[in-house]
Amino acid sequence: MEKDNSRTLHQLKPGTTAQIKEIQTDAKMAGKLAAMGILKGQFITRKAGSSPVVVNVSGTEVAIGRETAKKIFVTSKKNTFLLAGNPNVGKSLIFSRLTGIGIISSNFPGTTVGLNYGQTQFDGESYDIIDIPGLYRLEEEWLIEGRKRNLFKELEYDFIVCVADASHLERNLYFLLEIMQLKKPVILLLNKFDEAQRKGINIDVKALEKLLGIPVIPAVATTGEGLKDLAYQAARIASHKTAESPLVIPPTPEGKWHAIGHIIHKVQTVKHKHPSFWEKLQGWATTPATGLPIAFCVLILSFFLIRWVGEGIIDFFDPLYENYYVPFLERIFGAWKDNYLGFLLLGDGGETYFGVLTDGLKIALVDVMSYVLAFYALLGFLGELGYLPRLAVLLDGLLHKIGLHGYGALPIMLGFGCKVPAVMGIRVLETRRERIIALALILVLAPCISQTAMIISILSPYGLKYMLIVFFALFVNGIVAGTILNKLMKGETPELFMEIPSWQVPKIRPLLRKLWIRMKEYLCDALPLILIGIVFVDLMQLSGVTNWVARIARYPVEYLLGLPAETTPLLILGFLRKDVSIALLEPFHLAPQSIVVACVFMAMYLPCVATFFVMLRESGWKDTFRVVALTLGMAFVSAFILRLILL
């Protein structure tokens, strides 16, 4: 990160604080300046006015002539701090509050798998923030941008804000003590302080601050409580008004835990409380005898809830689209209806052409977005609740049989929303072997929410049976793909090691903020691609390319998949946007059995173009093409077998 911005004092903007880097005056003037406190290394703040230049130094205002100001070189003061802590302590939400940047925060570890950069203002001063992934140890390395990095050694920063979970203070203090060994200024932010109090945990903040010798701030990220105190302490560190901690930190893990026990005994008291039903339910959710039935009910309920909400939104907007929007467009563009431009804009009702302003917007904003909205609302609720890590624990035994541990379930779950963040999420897996298996499962097992929405939408008129066949076929293919790779690839699957966070009641405002961020991403990323895909299909139809491609690919499409040759262009479009290719099956009036075969093949055969390029970046071209070749082969085989069974 660029931290220095050298310029003359004359060039420094009013209101900016800077550090004097060099003074190029004669010795006599340098002596005069030094007598006023203006010397190399000193911090000064420029005031308004150009001649003379007025600066504030050590609480005193000094006027300096323009020519002398041009000979004083300064470096703009830029304070940079790391936002560090264990997984699931709320760093991303604090980062989002400080910077206003939309970072998705959830109640499960591994949400942040890269580096997030932002900027905030404390008392008029600019501060750069680096939000790093959740870590348990100082020496832990993360795979960032294709290589392993020790963030504390490689990044440039002035101080560290260590975020800890106040309801699990003892466990969080180990990482804090390691950070303090860096001899950098540290601020301890005790997040979830309200949750700790609800659990009967009382922390004497002043006593903790005295024992550690660093500022300690109780905070509640969801409400912003404590961030004003953070601004005050950051300003003190930037002004060099804090002393180094006198705490002697033991060098060994055993010594650190002994010191932590001493600290906890001095600062924390816990009131005895009988377990509530809510706390008992947390235990039931991770015990196989009760957790598996709970998981089954949650997944089934989620499926029907998404379908019910999505269909409800579609039923509301469909009449508005048919009775008001389409007639409005026809009145405006009626003169162009029967020429090429009219076909591109309005289509012909989906018989041959799909208009950008009609079918394109309806697919994107009604048919697909309705289910996307329902899915992300539910995912946000379960994530904030803290249920997803418990689901990972329950799935650990099953996933071990196909070469993953339970933590691999989290990227796969993300894949049901969008494969791009799911592929990025494989960084949290420790070995190349696990990452390749996870990639295959993400491509085969987890159709993204847009694909799922269109599969449900196109098959819903034929009943639940055909929808279940599609998802069961994908599930079986995922198990087969994982088993094949587990047998072929050398190595062993590491044991599961992850934190299971306490459940927390989701708050409406953060959930709505999270939902808005995700929907904004959908509108910015998916909507343009869907419209481009519609134009792509129409241009292929207008130019005759559709017929030419259909003739070439006629035999594998017709004889292996049992689909009309005219559907071949949709397979090409699927590389650009899979949900659109599935949606465009509807005008062909296929039998439900043929739609099932097409949906299974299109869900598996190739990743979309965005996912493909993210795979290249994360795993390299060799592993990417191996996984794609495997899934493409399995797509043809499974679709052919399904065709024989159903048709």
Side-chain angles (χ1 to χ4, degrees):
M1 177 183 295
E2 185 70 27
K3 292 183 62 180
D4 290 345
N5 189 7
S6 296
R7 65 192 71 186
T8 66
L9 178 58
H10 183 259
Q11 295 171 323
L12 192 66
K13 291 182 179 180
T16 304
T17 301
Q19 186 176 29
I20 298 175
K21 186 177 181 181
E22 187 178 1
I23 298 176
Q24 295 184 350
T25 62
D26 57 59
K28 184 177 180 181
M29 177 56 71
K32 290 181 179 180
L33 293 171
M36 300 298 295
I38 301 173
L39 68 166
K40 185 177 179 181
Q42 180 65 273
F43 286 98
I44 56 175
T45 302
R46 181 171 176 180
K47 299 294 183 179
S50 58
S51 182
V53 175
V54 179
V55 298
N56 185 299
V57 53
S58 302
T60 303
E61 291 189 353
V62 179
I64 304 172
R66 291 178 58 184
E67 295 305 315
T68 301
K70 291 178 181 179
K71 297 176 183 179
I72 301 174
F73 290 83
V74 297
T75 301
S76 294
K77 181 182 177 183
K78 206 136 188 186
N79 303 294
T80 301
F81 66 88
L82 293 187
L83 205 58
N86 291 161
N88 192 48
V89 294
K91 291 188 300 82
S92 294
L93 187 54
I94 290 170
F95 179 85
S96 182
R97 279 199 167 274
L98 290 173
T99 63
I101 295 175
I103 299 297
I104 297 296
S105 169
S106 298
N107 191 22
F108 58 89
T111 305
T112 304
V113 293
L115 300 178
N116 296 314
Y117 293 89
Q119 198 171 75
T120 193
Q121 292 269 333
F122 290 151
D123 294 335
E125 294 292 341
S126 178
Y127 289 76
D128 286 336
I129 311 173
I130 309 175
D131 176 29
I132 67 174
L135 303 170
Y136 288 106
R137 296 180 300 107
L138 197 63
E139 294 301 318
E140 197 168 341
E141 293 183 333
W142 271 82
L143 189 69
I144 304 289
E145 298 173 352
R147 68 187 184 93
K148 286 192 173 183
R149 303 179 63 180
N150 186 297
L151 303 177
F152 289 94
K153 291 180 180 178
E154 296 190 30
L155 296 174
E156 293 186 11
Y157 53 93
D158 300 302
F159 62 99
I160 302 167
V161 175
C162 180
V163 184
D165 182 349
S167 61
H168 296 90
L169 179 60
E170 185 171 4
R171 187 258 297 156
N172 283 232
L173 282 179
Y174 186 87
F175 188 46
L176 172 70
L177 294 183
E178 286 201 327
I179 286 176
M180 291 174 66
Q181 288 180 304
L182 295 171
K183 300 301 181 182
K184 287 271 191 178
V186 180
I187 298 172
L188 175 60
L189 200 66
L190 288 179
N191 192 27
K192 303 184 182 180
F193 204 76
D194 57 336
E195 184 180 326
Q197 290 177 324
R198 283 196 299 269
K199 291 181 176 180
I201 300 171
N202 293 311
I203 299 172
D204 188 336
V205 175
K206 292 297 182 184
L208 180 60
E209 192 171 64
K210 186 175 181 181
L211 283 170
L212 294 174
I214 61 172
V216 178
I217 302 168
V220 181
T222 53
T223 63
E225 182 182 336
L227 298 187
K228 286 186 178 180
D229 293 330
L230 175 62
Y232 171 75
Q233 294 295 347
R236 282 176 55 83
I237 288 176
S239 303
H240 307 284
K241 293 180 179 179
T242 56
E244 186 175 321
S245 170
L247 181 67
V248 178
I249 300 171
T252 64
E254 294 80 6
K256 288 185 178 69
W257 282 115
H258 180 75
I260 290 169
H262 173 73
I263 293 171
I264 291 296
H265 177 72
K266 293 284 187 181
V267 305
Q268 180 175 287
T269 57
V270 181
K271 294 179 182 177
H272 177 69
K273 294 175 64 180
H274 292 290
S276 64
F277 173 78
W278 186 250
E279 290 167 336
K280 290 178 180 178
L281 188 59
Q282 296 185 50
W284 295 340
T286 50
T287 304
T290 52
L292 289 174
I294 290 173
F296 179 77
C297 292
V298 167
L299 294 175
I300 293 297
L301 182 62
S302 298
F303 179 84
F304 282 104
L305 190 61
I306 290 170
R307 182 183 174 188
W308 177 72
V309 173
E311 288 179 354
I313 296 173
I314 291 173
D315 289 342
F316 175 79
F317 282 105
D318 254 345
L320 299 177
Y321 171 82
E322 296 290 347
N323 299 329
Y324 298 99
Y325 180 69
V326 172
F328 171 73
L329 289 179
E330 288 177 347
R331 284 198 299 270
I332 295 177
F333 300 105
W336 301 339
K337 188 174 181 180
D338 296 324
N339 59 30
Y340 289 155
L341 182 60
F343 289 144
L344 289 175
L345 293 178
L346 302 181
D348 60 357
E351 294 182 8
T352 306
Y353 303 101
F354 312 101
V356 174
L357 299 180
T358 53
D359 299 278
L361 290 179
K362 183 175 184 291
I363 289 170
L365 299 180
V366 180
D367 295 340
V368 175
M369 195 171 79
S370 302
Y371 292 104
V372 172
L373 179 69
F375 175 84
Y376 278 138
L378 184 64
L379 181 70
F381 178 83
L382 293 177
E384 197 68 24
L385 179 67
Y387 180 71
L388 295 183
R390 287 166 170 79
L391 192 58
V393 170
L394 291 170
L395 295 176
D396 184 58
L398 173 63
L399 291 178
H400 251 84
K401 298 182 187 302
I402 54 176
L404 289 174
H405 58 56
Y407 201 39
L410 297 179
I412 295 170
M413 290 175 199
L414 287 175
F416 284 98
C418 177
K419 290 193 185 335
V420 172
V423 171
M424 295 174 64
I426 66 171
R427 299 173 186 176
V428 302
L429 301 176
E430 300 174 21
T431 65
R432 171 178 170 269
R433 180 177 185 273
E434 285 182 282
R435 289 192 288 270
I436 290 176
I437 294 174
L439 271 181
L441 291 177
I442 288 168
L443 296 189
V444 174
L445 185 63
C448 70
I449 183 56
S450 300
Q451 291 174 256
T452 302
M454 291 321 308
I455 291 170
I456 295 173
S457 177
I458 201 169
L459 285 172
S460 58
Y462 304 103
L464 183 62
K465 177 179 73 173
Y466 292 108
M467 282 186 273
L468 292 179
I469 290 174
V470 171
F471 293 112
F472 180 73
L474 294 176
F475 174 77
V476 171
N477 276 291
I479 299 299
V480 171
T483 303
I484 291 172
L485 290 172
N486 192 30
K487 297 293 184 184
L488 293 179
M489 298 187 71
K490 296 179 180 179
E492 295 183 357
T493 304
E495 293 298 319
L496 177 66
F497 179 74
M498 65 178 290
E499 178 190 355
I500 304 175
S502 299
W503 281 10
Q504 59 186 32
V505 178
K507 292 181 172 60
I508 297 297
R509 189 172 177 180
L511 282 177
L512 292 177
R513 176 182 172 83
K514 183 187 305 183
L515 183 61
W516 162 244
I517 292 168
R518 283 173 164 152
M519 295 311 298
K520 186 168 63 173
E521 289 174 350
Y522 170 80
L523 291 172
C524 294
D525 297 339
L527 180 60
L529 286 175
I530 291 175
L531 299 182
I532 290 170
I534 295 292
V535 174
F536 173 77
V537 171
D538 285 345
L539 289 176
M540 288 184 67
Q541 188 70 33
L542 285 169
S543 64
V545 173
T546 300
N547 296 329
W548 178 74
V549 172
R551 285 197 300 271
I552 294 176
R554 176 177 179 179
Y555 293 104
V557 171
E558 284 188 332
Y559 294 104
L560 285 179
L561 306 181
L563 300 174
E566 291 78 13
T567 60
T568 305
L570 302 186
L571 304 182
I572 301 171
L573 174 63
F575 183 61
L576 179 68
R577 192 73 195 184
K578 285 193 171 191
D579 49 358
V580 178
S581 65
I582 293 174
L584 296 181
L585 288 169
E586 189 170 3
F588 291 97
H589 306 294
L590 301 175
Q593 296 89 344
S594 296
I595 296 176
V596 168
V597 173
C599 286
V600 170
F601 180 79
M602 289 179 174
M604 291 175 55
Y605 76 115
L606 288 174
C608 69
V609 63
T611 304
F612 179 77
F613 284 107
V614 172
M615 287 173 62
L616 285 176
R617 187 185 68 187
E618 295 293 328
S619 299
W621 68 270
K622 286 185 179 180
D623 288 343
T624 296
F625 281 102
R626 285 169 183 162
V627 172
V628 168
L630 173 67
T631 57
L632 181 60
M634 291 186 64
F636 272 108
V637 171
S638 59
F640 180 69
I641 293 173
L642 264 179
R643 180 201 171 191
L644 295 179
I645 294 172
L646 297 176
L647 301 179

